[in-house]
Amino acid sequence: MLKRISLLTSSIVLLSFLTSAQQAIVPANTIRIDEGDSKELIIAKAAHVVPSENQMEALRNEFIAFVHFGPNTFTRLEWGNGMEDPAVFDLKDLDTDQWCSAMKAAGMKMVILTVKHHDGFVLWQSRYTPHGIMSTNYRNGKGDVLRELSESCRKYGLKLGVYLSPADLHQIEHPEGLYGNLSNYSQRTIPRQVPGRPFSNKTTFTFNVDDYNEYFLNQLFEILTEYGEIHEVWFDGAHPKRKGGQTYNYPAWKKIIRTLAPKAVIFGREDIRWCGNEAGATRKTEWNVITYPDDPDTTSYFPDRTEYDLGSREMLYQAKYLHYQQAETNTSIREGWFYRDDTHQKVRSADDLFDIYERSVGGNSTFLLNIPPNREGRFSPADVAALEETGKRIRGTYDLDLLRDAEGPAELLDGNPDTYILLEEGSRELILTLSAPVKINRLMLQEAIATHSERVEAHAVDAWIGNRWQEIATATNIGYKRILRFPEVTTMKIRLRVTASRLDPAISHVSAHYYQTRPPQLSFTRDKEGMVTIEPRQADFNWNPHGENAAGNLNAGYEIFYTLDGSEPTQASIRYTQPVSVEHNELKAVSFTNDMKGAVHQETFGIIKKEWTLLGASSQQQRHAATMAFDSNRHTYWQSEKDAVPHYIAIDLGSEQQLSALVYTPQTVHGEGMMAQGILQVSVDGEQWETVESFLFGNLINDPTPRTYQFHQPVTTRYIRIEATGIAGDGKSLAIGELDFL
Ligand code: FUL
């Protein structure tokens, strides 16, 4: 039987329909598992774990912006070292209105600014350090990016969040730096008063903390009290370096945030978790009710959760605490988190962004997309165009509900997330009937998670076609939102079947939509002989980013065209029929469905590796031979023996070549052996080596995508040697998925 329930009557009705296992359980953000709890009771408890009000608000934002800006924008590095001269931040103009207008056009609801990245440089007028915008020429040292952005946010109706990096290389490296300086813990008043710079907010706090925690708390006080309401505080788990056994006094940080920013959710701690990758992938089943070994309300330990089966029944059975902690799917619109240039740095297409939007927002997660401003203080035109087009497609698809005139339970169709239908065991089906046929290829489903948690474990949708029900889509959980994608059907009747559930699920929304399917996105693979295969993009991430509704089956009847001279491919270019031989030039390809053009995919290939031979390597592990570093297969990799330093590889290219850049592809199987730093040597005889370049790659552990290092000037050589001088996370062995030279 269906239960029609509105919010007002829900608690009364609820009580009368609860089974005995459920009766004792009160919905809460965290529920403890007690010794001896049966599996059934654990699942019943999980089905009562609900988001807090702030978490619910954050879920409803759906699509939000990240802005990485700072010295790295000017040095073109992913990670700075903390000892940059502040003058490198050579900002002359800043147009935060332009950022906000582009975000609004994309349909974003909030922006999170990196007010301090790992290099420790601050983008606001902090009282507590000179290492920041106050020591640059921008507005004669009086500039404040957070101030300008907060004003633009008010103007454009966007919420504001702050990223304040706990890792702080300036405070680590500077002789008087506070990070890990082994200072004593003592009672300190926050904020510390600075003569001539009074605060208008007179709240004070006293905490027992050391120098770095005091510094961090003072800065939190500034950014949470002087820039209007802050809606998210983002604590990055990444640490390029640590020092002095520095620990973080998280209970104090939390106290300050909860007091001064009562509407803020905290990322990287109990409210919001990292989805586990920086590639824009969401798990096929993304549960937000997850497990903790300690009470998340009092613990300070929040490790990154990268398990694929997070929140599964098997995981829940091991729990000590069950907690609602939603995933944020964070990725960048450009290669890397900071702006580098408009020529080499790839920008995601609207096809790609819309696809990530559907998989993340429609996969029980929030889409946090980074758009890094350029050195003119603006979003580059390509980024703006992609944002505008993505917003247009989201509105074009989801603003129109094709079931708006359907007959069926009003609670599902009224657009009110607080009304829902409770599906009891034995009748977990819903039918929606239209008076005229509609063409659809998307379905959006929501559960009433604020009151009933996430309960659906599996579901299927049927359409009435040719006088019978035909299954058109299946998926696992729903939670806050599930978007189902399927080949288009024309129908007058839709049926939702919940096929597995944790207690009775409360469905609050069903709508149907139509998206004009685009020609497929493409991918390239090149073999050792230099032959490139072009095909529709498959999951390039082992989390199967396309989920069960793989994009592949949505596309039919497309053609692929390509160019090798750098020009934009059209239907007049060469049609792709079989693998193409690509020397070291740029391949651009695009797919067309009739006259509709897909997103251009491009890649600059390095010299062909057919003639390469190994001259020598420091060591190699079993099954990970040094030759795997250049076998044109990024799934195999060279791994050196631990501590066999220096780790190096020397290669004979077979003939003299002119090289202008090195491309390092890390292995992606595990986080070990990332080449954070190295030198490049050349030789005339393969024996005597001369160093010609040294390179630095940041953020490889969280984002193990290929890195390109452009040489200061081209080198002509037959023999090349690469030596790692630094491994990420102080690793002891080196791994190389693939090496290429452009
Ligand atoms: C990572 C950082 O190391 C990157 O630089 C970036 O800020 C990203 C959002 O998080 O872990």
Side-chain angles (χ1 to χ4, degrees):
M1 212 188 114
L2 301 185
K3 296 288 167 302
R4 301 159 168 273
I5 299 176
S6 74
L7 188 64
L8 278 179
T9 52
S10 63
S11 44
I12 309 159
V13 180
L14 240 184
L15 277 179
S16 54
F17 288 105
L18 290 175
T19 67
S20 59
Q22 291 166 262
Q23 235 155 35
I25 311 169
V26 178
N29 197 229
T30 302
I31 299 183
R32 200 181 62 220
I33 301 300
D34 296 311
E35 195 119 336
D37 278 0
S38 65
K39 287 183 173 176
E40 191 194 0
L41 184 56
I42 293 174
I43 297 304
K45 284 184 170 179
H48 285 83
V49 175
V50 293
S52 67
E53 255 176 58
N54 284 355
Q55 286 177 317
M56 202 59 221
E57 270 301 306
L59 284 164
R60 289 187 177 130
N61 290 335
E62 300 197 343
F63 188 18
I64 59 179
F66 220 171
V67 170
H68 277 64
F69 195 41
N72 299 347
T73 311
F74 295 85
T75 58
R76 304 170 195 223
L77 293 174
E78 273 300 293
W79 280 355
N81 61 23
M83 291 306 278
E84 293 84 4
D85 179 349
V88 302
F89 186 79
D90 188 20
L91 187 64
K92 300 204 171 58
D93 302 300
L94 178 65
D95 191 350
T96 51
D97 274 3
Q98 186 246 8
W99 305 0
C100 290
S101 122
M103 293 169 195
K104 273 302 256 200
M108 293 165 150
K109 299 282 182 330
M110 172 162 72
V111 49
I112 301 170
L113 174 68
T114 55
V115 296
K116 178 184 88 160
H117 201 248
H118 305 326
D119 54 29
F121 180 97
V122 300
L123 289 179
W124 80 99
Q125 289 288 332
S126 176
R127 296 160 178 78
Y128 304 102
T129 181
H131 191 66
I133 197 154
M134 65 293 278
S135 304
T136 71
N137 286 334
Y138 181 59
R139 297 196 193 279
N140 293 323
K142 300 274 182 289
D144 189 325
V145 181
L146 185 57
R147 167 93 42 234
E148 292 192 39
L149 180 59
S150 67
E151 281 160 10
S152 300
C153 280
R154 255 192 298 280
K155 197 154 134 192
Y156 285 84
L158 287 165
K159 296 176 193 167
L160 180 63
V162 286
Y163 166 116
L164 188 72
S165 172
D168 188 323
L169 289 166
H170 184 72
Q171 296 299 331
I172 287 178
E173 306 288 6
H174 192 275
E176 282 156 32
L178 305 173
Y179 188 109
N181 68 352
L182 306 179
S183 57
N184 287 332
Y185 268 68
S186 58
Q187 294 291 108
R188 314 203 186 187
T189 302
I190 306 294
R192 187 163 53 74
Q193 296 302 327
V194 173
R197 304 277 307 269
F199 285 99
S200 55
N201 186 315
K202 301 297 175 202
T203 316
T204 59
F205 302 82
T206 308
F207 298 115
N208 186 37
V209 286
D210 64 356
D211 288 355
Y212 185 66
N213 279 288
E214 184 198 328
Y215 176 72
F216 201 82
L217 288 161
N218 280 324
Q219 295 202 323
L220 275 176
F221 191 95
E222 291 181 313
I223 58 186
L224 298 181
T225 59
E226 303 197 309
Y227 299 91
E229 187 84 53
I230 298 294
H231 282 89
E232 182 157 343
V233 182
W234 221 89
F235 293 136
D236 198 333
H239 278 78
K241 206 168 183 175
R242 294 185 191 255
K243 184 182 157 194
Q246 180 68 55
T247 53
Y248 301 137
N249 199 298
Y250 178 61
W253 301 7
K254 177 170 163 176
K255 171 87 184 152
I256 264 205
I257 297 168
R258 296 286 191 236
T259 311
L260 300 175
K263 295 198 175 144
V265 278
I266 307 178
F267 174 94
R269 298 294 189 275
E270 65 269 40
D271 296 335
I272 315 246
R273 70 193 155 84
W274 180 44
C275 66
N277 70 88
E278 294 183 354
T282 304
R283 291 171 181 80
K284 190 172 151 193
T285 308
E286 192 74 70
W287 289 106
N288 288 331
V289 175
I290 65 161
T291 61
Y292 268 91
D294 304 301
D295 187 347
D297 202 37
T298 49
T299 187
S300 294
Y301 180 59
F302 292 94
D304 286 336
R305 304 298 295 268
T306 51
E307 307 96 309
Y308 187 65
D309 60 344
L310 201 60
S312 66
R313 282 189 179 230
E314 288 312 313
M315 292 278 281
L316 299 184
Y317 298 149
Q318 319 294 323
K320 295 269 186 299
Y321 288 86
L322 300 173
H323 179 57
Y324 192 93
Q325 192 191 28
Q326 67 228 45
E328 246 178 29
T329 301
N330 65 331
T331 194
S332 184
I333 197 168
R334 285 175 171 257
E335 273 175 303
W337 291 95
F338 288 88
Y339 176 86
R340 290 197 291 272
D341 58 62
D342 282 323
T343 41
H344 300 292
Q345 194 179 16
K346 282 186 197 151
V347 179
R348 288 187 189 274
S349 63
D351 284 7
D352 201 14
L353 295 176
F354 183 73
D355 175 49
I356 300 175
Y357 169 88
E358 288 193 316
R359 285 188 280 113
S360 54
V361 176
N364 201 24
S365 171
T366 302
F367 183 15
L368 171 60
L369 176 69
N370 177 63
I371 314 103
N374 58 26
R375 287 179 284 280
E376 278 72 56
R378 295 170 63 82
F379 288 173
S380 284
D383 308 41
V384 173
L387 288 174
E388 287 176 352
E389 178 62 20
T390 305
K392 213 163 107 190
R393 292 193 198 173
I394 295 171
R395 285 189 299 276
T397 309
Y398 292 104
D399 278 4
L400 179 62
D401 175 10
L402 298 168
L403 294 180
R404 67 194 180 285
D405 298 325
E407 265 180 46
E411 293 83 348
L412 303 180
L413 302 166
D414 62 5
N416 178 354
D418 294 330
T419 59
Y420 54 84
I421 291 283
L422 204 63
L423 296 182
E424 284 205 324
E425 195 155 13
S427 61
R428 293 197 173 138
E429 278 188 17
L430 289 163
I431 294 178
L432 301 161
T433 314
L434 284 154
S435 53
V438 285
K439 187 167 75 174
I440 59 172
N441 58 9
R442 297 287 190 277
L443 221 78
M444 189 201 282
L445 306 169
Q446 292 188 278
E447 281 182 81
I449 56 164
T451 49
H452 286 70
S453 182
E454 32 187 46
R455 296 183 172 186
V456 174
E457 291 178 304
H459 62 285
V461 174
D462 310 315
W464 186 258
I465 303 166
N467 274 330
R468 62 182 185 95
W469 286 116
Q470 280 185 33
E471 188 175 274
I472 54 170
T474 61
T476 53
N477 69 331
I478 296 177
Y480 169 71
K481 188 174 271 190
R482 167 68 76 174
I483 292 174
L484 295 162
R485 306 190 285 192
F486 45 89
E488 65 187 47
V489 294
T490 300
T491 186
M492 284 175 66
K493 216 151 64 166
I494 295 287
R495 179 169 73 177
L496 168 68
R497 284 179 285 124
V498 173
T499 50
S501 179
R502 301 173 176 177
L503 307 187
D504 298 341
I507 310 294
S508 66
H509 178 89
V510 181
S511 57
H513 308 270
Y514 182 75
Y515 174 66
Q516 175 68 58
T517 302
R518 317 283 306 182
Q521 298 188 68
L522 302 176
S523 75
F524 303 151
T525 34
R526 186 167 77 151
D527 67 15
K528 212 166 172 164
E529 309 293 315
M531 300 303 287
V532 177
T533 304
I534 309 176
E535 55 195 345
R537 196 180 74 177
Q538 298 297 322
D540 57 357
F541 190 75
N542 55 11
W543 277 8
N544 185 13
H546 297 292
E548 59 288 343
N549 304 301
N553 67 6
L554 299 179
N555 292 102
Y558 58 86
E559 285 186 313
I560 298 173
F561 297 87
Y562 67 91
T563 63
L564 283 164
D565 59 2
S567 63
E568 177 94 0
T570 64
Q571 275 165 308
S573 308
I574 314 164
R575 194 163 72 84
Y576 176 80
T577 50
Q578 60 190 43
V580 251
S581 168
V582 185
E583 294 286 329
H584 46 285
N585 33 18
E586 192 179 25
L587 175 63
K588 287 190 179 179
V590 70
S591 56
F592 279 86
T593 308
N594 301 322
D595 280 341
M596 191 190 279
K597 186 177 177 189
V600 175
H601 186 65
Q602 67 190 80
E603 210 167 308
T604 305
F605 287 97
I607 57 173
I608 295 174
K609 297 184 246 187
K610 193 162 59 174
E611 308 294 336
W612 294 18
T613 52
L614 184 71
L615 275 182
S618 44
S619 64
Q620 58 187 22
Q621 291 187 18
Q622 244 191 358
R623 291 195 298 278
H624 298 293
T627 46
M628 290 177 171
F630 55 90
D631 62 356
S632 299
N633 179 354
R634 66 190 167 89
H635 301 296
T636 61
Y637 58 95
W638 166 45
Q639 182 99 42
S640 70
E641 289 287 356
K642 276 199 175 113
D643 296 321
V645 284
H647 304 285
Y648 75 86
I649 185 166
I651 301 168
D652 176 355
L653 304 176
S655 59
E656 206 166 65
Q657 307 273 351
Q658 206 199 48
L659 316 175
S660 60
L662 156 75
V663 183
Y664 165 52
T665 303
Q667 56 77 26
T668 50
V669 179
H670 51 74
E672 276 171 42
M674 304 291 177
M675 181 164 58
Q677 209 168 310
I679 53 171
L680 185 105
Q681 299 180 315
V682 295
S683 167
V684 280
D685 55 6
E687 281 166 21
Q688 301 293 315
W689 298 96
E690 183 202 346
T691 302
V692 286
E693 295 280 347
S694 61
F695 53 87
L696 207 63
F697 299 128
N699 196 30
L700 284 163
I701 295 179
N702 286 350
D703 180 23
T705 50
R707 297 294 198 278
T708 303
Y709 172 77
Q710 298 281 344
F711 302 161
H712 288 95
Q713 53 199 31
V715 294
T716 304
T717 187
R718 169 171 173 171
Y719 305 105
I720 196 131
R721 183 177 181 275
I722 286 177
E723 182 177 317
T725 51
I727 308 228
D730 283 336
K732 302 290 177 231
S733 97
L734 171 68
I736 295 183
E738 213 53 38
L739 283 177
D740 285 278
F741 293 102
L742 306 181

